Amino acid sequence: LASGRIIGAEALLRWRTEQGEFIPPDRFIPLAEQSGLMVPIGDWVARSAFQFLKRLVDLGYDGFRMAINVSHVQFREPDFVDKLVTAISDHGVKPANIEIELTESVAIDNIEMIEQKLAAVRAVGVVIAIDDFGTGYSSLNILRQLNVDRLKIDRSFISGEDSQRDDFSIAGLVLQLASQLGLETIAEGIETEAQRDKLLSMGCRDGQGHLFSQPLPAEQFEIFLRHAAQTER
């Protein structure tokens, strides 16, 4: 947030219909989970994202971080970690440049099993973030047990109705909690310079949102990266 440097991106999935309409994931992901298609879709997303990450690294963006969302259905598959490691190896990318995002709903499952799986992912070197933090069900005790790396402050606390007209009181609480637990943070949904400056003053280092860019196809994102390198603060 301070320099304006682009340090990473989140891979977003959209369903384009024959008419060119884009259907958002909150409409088709539940259907995919119910139909048993979520796991193969998730595998395809990961491999597509890693392939693009490798291209960016080859273009000179060596420290670039790629974040992918992982469904709790996909995460609890017995071979999830094995397939993740294989996909990383197949595409020749560094685990440290990959971040998987899980929602708090992952804690609904057997917490001991989740702990073990998270530990296995972190042992590989992949970063783990809790997405949309503050909107789910996990208690502070469970959050401590999960042993993750980063909390993503939900957009509703930054630019949505719960932001209390830029008061950011809930976002501030999340930042304090993260500091106490030794976790990094990233704020979602930043739309204005005022929001960016407020978050910076509260100690938030990283952010994402339409202030920086609308979601872009891969080819346009490469152009965006080149231009962004010339306009850092």
Side-chain angles (χ1 to χ4, degrees):
L1 292 181
S3 69
R5 184 169 63 91
I6 306 299
I7 61 173
E10 177 180 353
L12 302 175
L13 186 62
R14 298 293 183 269
W15 179 1
R16 188 202 298 266
T17 67
E18 292 181 358
Q19 293 73 32
E21 175 191 5
F22 285 100
I23 301 176
D26 60 356
R27 287 180 56 190
F28 67 78
I29 292 298
L31 296 176
E33 292 178 340
Q34 294 169 20
S35 65
L37 290 174
M38 192 63 249
V39 173
I41 289 175
D43 293 342
W44 176 82
V45 168
R47 287 186 166 274
S48 298
F50 299 164
Q51 182 179 29
F52 184 56
L53 174 60
K54 180 62 166 63
R55 173 169 173 77
L56 294 181
V57 171
D58 290 343
L59 290 173
Y61 302 100
D62 186 54
F64 193 86
R65 183 172 66 230
M66 180 66 71
I68 59 172
N69 294 278
V70 174
S71 163
H72 70 281
V73 172
Q74 181 186 2
F75 183 73
R76 67 176 180 230
E77 284 290 297
D79 60 350
F80 170 77
V81 178
D82 290 339
K83 288 198 292 188
L84 178 67
V85 171
T86 298
I88 292 171
S89 175
D90 288 347
H91 292 88
V93 292
K94 298 177 182 177
N97 288 10
I98 297 168
E99 178 176 293
I100 66 170
E101 299 184 0
L102 302 163
T103 63
E104 293 169 89
S105 63
V106 73
I108 294 175
D109 288 318
N110 184 316
I111 190 66
E112 291 185 6
M113 180 270 289
I114 297 301
E115 280 186 274
Q116 294 173 2
K117 190 161 289 189
L118 289 174
V121 172
R122 294 189 78 200
V124 175
V126 173
V127 176
I128 300 172
I130 296 296
D131 196 15
D132 304 331
F133 183 75
T135 63
Y137 309 101
S138 67
S139 68
L140 296 183
N141 184 49
I142 289 178
L143 178 61
R144 189 188 301 273
Q145 287 180 270
L146 289 180
N147 194 23
V148 298
D149 302 287
R150 184 192 301 268
L151 299 182
K152 297 195 71 175
I153 306 172
D154 188 69
R155 68 181 63 251
S156 63
F157 306 133
I158 306 301
S159 54
E161 294 180 359
D162 295 331
S163 63
Q164 298 182 8
R165 297 183 180 179
D166 297 338
D167 179 57
F168 289 6
S169 58
I170 298 181
L173 291 174
V174 175
L175 287 165
Q176 292 177 36
L177 173 64
S179 178
Q180 289 292 321
L181 296 176
L183 302 176
E184 297 181 10
T185 55
I186 181 168
E188 299 179 296
I190 301 176
E191 297 179 355
T192 68
E193 286 288 353
Q195 292 166 352
R196 173 190 197 170
D197 293 340
K198 178 66 175 178
L199 287 162
L200 259 175
S201 71
M202 297 169 67
C204 186
R205 295 174 51 194
D206 301 336
Q208 68 182 77
H210 289 177
L211 174 63
F212 313 108
S213 174
Q214 299 282 332
L216 298 171
E219 298 79 8
Q220 293 182 27
F221 186 76
E222 290 182 28
I223 298 172
F224 166 73
L225 274 183
R226 290 196 295 270
H227 289 169
Q230 303 170 5
T231 58
E232 294 179 14
R233 282 190 173 184

